[in-house]
Amino acid sequence: QGRMEITDSSASRVAMNLDFVKPFEAHNKVEFLLAPKGGATDVTWSMQGPVPYFAKIVHLFIDMDKMVGGQFETGLANLKRVSEAKQ
């Protein structure tokens, strides 16, 4: 649970604040960078935020890429599908 707020956008960038409440509290900055490449667009999706001490311990035992990497891949695939359907 949480909320997402777009804080900045342009033709090459979308920035957001992402605030989670559950399953644990977290406050992150999310950024999509869009770069033309031939007839396509490269999209870079990043998320940054503070990592409390407890989370650092959890990161020793949990592979975060395995935990959220699939969600990033699904999100990027959905973005691709929707953007190509509009053409």
Side-chain angles (χ1 to χ4, degrees), residues 51-62:
V51 182
Y53 181 73
F54 174 74
K56 289 178 184 179
I57 293 171
V58 170
H59 289 174
L60 292 174
F61 302 100
I62 296 175

Side-chain angles (χ1 to χ4, degrees), residues 3 5 8 14 18-20 29 33 36 41-42 44-45 50 52 59 67 78 81 84:
R3 65 186 288 275
E5 175 186 12
D8 188 36
V14 177
L18 181 58
D19 297 304
F20 290 109
K29 303 286 185 191
L33 297 176
T41 302
D42 277 343
T44 303
W45 180 2
H59 289 174
M67 185 172 151
N78 287 340
R81 179 181 46 79
E84 289 176 347

Side-chain angles (χ1 to χ4, degrees), residues 36-85:
K37 186 175 184 181
T41 302
D42 277 343
V43 179
T44 303
W45 180 2
S46 64
M47 183 169 70
Q48 300 175 2
V51 182
Y53 181 73
F54 174 74
K56 289 178 184 179
I57 293 171
V58 170
H59 289 174
L60 292 174
F61 302 100
I62 296 175
D63 182 343
M64 293 304 289
D65 188 45
K66 284 185 181 178
M67 185 172 151
V68 297
Q71 293 173 350
F72 275 69
E73 293 297 325
T74 298
L76 290 169
N78 287 340
L79 177 63
K80 182 179 190 309
R81 179 181 46 79
V82 169
S83 65
E84 289 176 347

Side-chain angles (χ1 to χ4, degrees), residues 13-25:
R13 178 176 177 267
V14 177
M16 294 177 268
N17 287 337
L18 181 58
D19 297 304
F20 290 109
V21 179
K22 290 182 181 180
F24 48 85
E25 185 175 356

